[in-house]
Amino acid sequence: MYKFPKDFLWGSASAAYQIEGAYNVDGKGMSNWDHFVRIPGKTFKGTTGDIAVDHYHRYKEDIALMAEMGLKTYRFSIAWTRIFPTGNGEINQKGIEFYQNIIDECLKYGIEPMVTIFHWDLPQALVDQYNGFESEKIVDDFVNYAKTLFKVFGKSVKYWITLNEQNIFTSLGWLTAQHPPGKFDDQKMFYQVNHHAFLAHAKAVLAYREMGFDGMIGASFAYTPSYALDCNPINAMSKMNYDDLKNYWWLDVYAYGEYPIAAMKYLEKKGVAPVVSQEDKEILKKAAKEINFMGVNYYQSCVCEYNPLDGVTPYGTMNTTGKKGSAQVTGVPGLYKNPQNQYLKTTDWDWTIDPLGLTYLCREITSRYRLPIIISENGLGAFDKLESENKIHDIYRIEYIREHLKALSQAIDEGCEVLAYCTWSFTDLLSWLNGYQKRYGFVYVDRNEETGSLSRYKKDSFYWYKEVIETNGEKL
Ligand code: BG6
């Protein structure tokens, strides 16, 4: 009944800081996150990724579980600080060895490695030297790091994601102060930081081609598709404003190498537009022609309603407690606000559950950009319970992923080219703002503070997804 392409990449994803642990082992340098989590009050109950789920030492066990499940691809990120402890300079061979082992282990089981070059853990040395992405100097260091990875792993890795969720790490870093560097409402810098990140992405893409590789490369974007509240034209306009500022600002640059016109005008009037040279424009355009897919992380959709000039501000409180109903409405005065969608249920963290939103965004990418799509993340964060005999009955997760896969199969049926679907995540891991209480994995990790066992237990969803893969999605 449900059809997926013959060579569809059924996958699962993770990120270095969230799983590896071993934060100071084998020559690894300190990252901005190693630093940030040590500032009191920054993370949920002071949680860190110092140990995380100890994937650094247990990768063989984890990848064997992936093989048992039948995963076709495993998306993971490389910690820049393992390769270049201080961001540039001499290569740390131990870091290379670790990722070579992961890649070899995947290939041994026929699992396609999909590598994210940057999933938010930036060498702290580059922050100390020039404030990381705030300086254009980041571009050369990022490209040097990316080229090193291409050179060493380029023959065995065919799928590359330059940046994970540029829109999120910059928003939380410079607008809401929840991620490093923890700045609040620094809009001018926010747009400049993004411009540097775009250049870093673009130059890495161009370098990949110049080095003669013909693999697949692109970026992963946290896509929150939007619906107008109703057919009141002012609400339809608010949706357009939202999309320009919150979605197309990134998607258009990746796919066309151009910023959305109305949004740029708006930012210019506010005096917060980025400085973009003619040369930058050419680089962005050139790189846009070289990407092979749009990577999408999809968790929720939103509603757009007109927001008066004296209306709600952009930075409401995010629910980081898991107590339903604690998130606030956010918006940009004069443009839009995002009220709750009364037709949709939400997770315990107030994220709307909207499978059809996945069909919607695939259709939108296909018609706007004509690009293949990789769903690089999708999943449900929940409080899981370890029951007797180490069972975890996460029926709610099965239900969530099943509905999203049905929606994806609908998008494919309607003509979208979807190459891969990666759930977030394979094992449980650290949630940046929610510690270890918000779980996403197919594999439960027992972080029992007393026993410290970190044992792995397969959840019900593990067996279910295994069967989905075996039947290539026919049996959802
Ligand atoms: C994405 C990130 O934003 O969502 C992941 O790429 C993150 O790193 C995931 O963990 C889920 O977010 P959260 O806040 O629920 O952990």
Side-chain angles (χ1 to χ4, degrees):
M1 192 170 141
Y2 299 103
K3 284 222 173 77
F4 290 86
K6 174 166 96 329
D7 45 2
F8 191 69
L9 291 172
W10 297 97
S12 204
S14 72
Y17 187 73
Q18 298 177 274
I19 54 166
E20 287 178 4
Y23 81 103
N24 57 359
V25 166
D26 288 341
K28 180 183 167 296
M30 288 285 275
S31 74
N32 57 343
W33 272 94
D34 291 317
H35 187 78
F36 191 69
V37 296
R38 286 175 166 69
I39 305 172
K42 289 296 184 192
T43 61
F44 179 77
K45 295 189 176 165
T47 359
T48 74
D50 287 3
I51 299 174
V53 296
D54 199 28
H55 180 72
Y56 191 78
H57 297 111
R58 296 168 197 243
Y59 72 90
K60 282 196 178 167
E61 181 186 350
D62 290 342
I63 297 173
L65 283 165
M66 291 175 201
E68 180 187 333
M69 183 188 245
L71 275 199
K72 305 287 182 208
T73 186
Y74 171 43
R75 175 186 171 223
F76 60 93
S77 81
I78 290 186
W80 188 337
T81 48
R82 289 200 195 281
I83 309 298
F84 291 107
T86 53
N88 51 32
E90 220 172 290
I91 296 174
N92 174 34
Q93 285 306 328
K94 283 277 183 194
I96 300 278
E97 244 171 63
F98 172 64
Y99 293 108
Q100 190 64 62
N101 288 342
I102 298 230
I103 291 165
D104 290 347
E105 202 67 12
C106 285
L107 294 174
K108 177 173 108 188
Y109 293 116
I111 300 171
E112 189 77 57
M114 187 182 288
V115 171
T116 311
I117 298 173
F118 179 73
H119 199 127
W120 304 354
D121 46 347
L122 184 70
Q124 179 63 29
L126 302 185
V127 180
D128 297 339
Q129 280 166 42
Y130 54 71
N131 291 327
F133 279 94
E134 292 187 12
S135 162
E136 203 174 337
K137 289 187 184 152
I138 194 71
V139 179
D140 283 350
D141 280 332
F142 180 80
V143 174
N144 172 55
Y145 161 56
K147 279 168 89 170
T148 307
L149 301 187
F150 299 149
K151 195 167 159 211
V152 184
F153 306 125
K155 285 213 177 94
S156 21
V157 174
K158 303 277 176 253
Y159 289 83
W160 293 93
I161 291 169
T162 52
L163 302 175
N164 179 69
E165 295 189 355
Q166 181 186 326
N167 55 329
I168 300 298
F169 85 78
T170 55
S171 304
L172 300 187
W174 281 268
L175 299 180
T176 68
Q178 288 160 302
H179 279 201
K183 298 199 175 165
F184 187 73
D185 196 16
D186 194 346
Q187 296 204 31
K188 175 88 185 137
M189 189 52 86
F190 168 76
Y191 286 105
Q192 201 57 45
V193 157
N194 268 289
H195 187 60
H196 298 153
F198 281 131
L199 288 174
H201 152 85
K203 286 194 172 178
V205 169
L206 292 173
Y208 184 64
R209 294 290 176 239
E210 278 153 21
M211 290 168 81
F213 291 109
D214 62 355
M216 308 286 283
I217 191 162
S220 275
F221 176 70
Y223 197 168
T224 302
S226 66
Y227 310 123
L229 176 72
D230 54 27
C231 54
N232 185 339
I234 204 164
N235 291 331
M237 277 311 299
S238 78
K239 171 189 157 53
M240 194 179 259
N241 288 331
Y242 170 90
D243 276 337
D244 262 8
L245 270 178
K246 301 281 283 192
N247 287 328
Y248 305 148
W249 188 263
W250 287 269
L251 294 170
D252 281 13
V253 178
Y254 296 139
Y256 298 142
E258 280 180 35
Y259 287 106
I261 293 167
M264 186 57 100
K265 284 261 173 230
Y266 169 79
L267 298 179
E268 279 167 2
K269 278 187 223 151
K270 282 188 69 180
V272 297
V275 180
V276 182
S277 71
Q278 188 53 36
E279 192 195 345
D280 294 351
K281 285 185 186 167
E282 282 157 24
I283 290 165
L284 296 181
K285 280 206 158 187
K286 209 169 154 204
K289 295 199 177 79
E290 297 297 335
I291 63 163
N292 306 91
F293 58 85
M294 191 63 84
V296 171
N297 294 355
Y298 175 62
Y299 290 93
Q300 56 179 333
S301 60
C302 71
V303 170
C304 294
E305 182 182 9
Y306 175 66
N307 187 14
L309 271 172
D310 59 353
V312 296
T313 59
Y315 315 121
T317 315
M318 218 198 280
N319 176 352
T320 55
T321 59
K323 285 196 192 89
K324 260 188 195 254
S326 57
Q328 286 173 3
V329 172
T330 59
V332 173
L335 293 187
Y336 64 83
K337 65 181 169 191
N338 303 122
Q340 273 297 327
N341 190 326
Q342 54 164 318
Y343 298 101
L344 298 175
K345 293 199 175 117
T346 58
T347 70
D348 287 336
W349 279 264
D350 295 324
W351 295 18
T352 56
I353 302 174
D354 179 18
L356 198 57
L358 185 55
T359 318
Y360 187 98
L361 75 84
C362 288
R363 287 276 303 273
E364 193 171 29
I365 288 178
T366 303
S367 41
R368 196 174 169 101
Y369 305 115
R370 296 283 194 272
L371 274 170
I373 298 164
I374 285 182
I375 303 300
S376 36
E377 283 179 34
N378 173 238
L380 175 68
F383 295 104
D384 291 339
K385 198 159 164 242
L386 187 60
E387 311 260 8
S388 58
E389 293 172 7
N390 298 324
K391 300 269 190 251
I392 303 96
H393 303 301
D394 57 341
I395 323 296
Y396 37 89
R397 182 166 293 108
I398 295 175
E399 189 58 24
Y400 180 100
I401 299 175
R402 176 190 286 128
E403 291 311 309
H404 282 78
L405 282 174
K406 285 183 188 169
L408 194 61
S409 119
Q410 182 182 331
I412 293 168
D413 186 55
E414 288 167 357
C416 303
E417 191 184 348
V418 185
L419 308 173
Y421 172 81
C422 296
T423 65
W424 186 261
S425 53
F426 184 72
T427 62
D428 289 336
L429 40 69
L430 170 71
S431 168
W432 308 90
L433 294 178
N434 310 279
Y436 294 93
Q437 51 164 357
K438 190 178 188 186
R439 293 172 182 270
Y440 279 93
F442 290 128
V443 174
Y444 186 94
V445 178
D446 184 7
R447 282 193 42 100
N448 185 321
E449 276 159 29
E450 278 152 39
T451 59
S453 75
L454 293 170
S455 299
R456 274 66 170 147
Y457 302 115
K458 291 172 242 174
K459 303 181 191 178
D460 288 358
S461 57
F462 179 100
Y463 301 101
W464 172 80
Y465 196 57
K466 182 176 191 303
E467 214 177 320
V468 169
I469 299 174
E470 270 163 16
T471 61
N472 201 34
E474 264 174 44
K475 217 173 157 189
L476 283 177

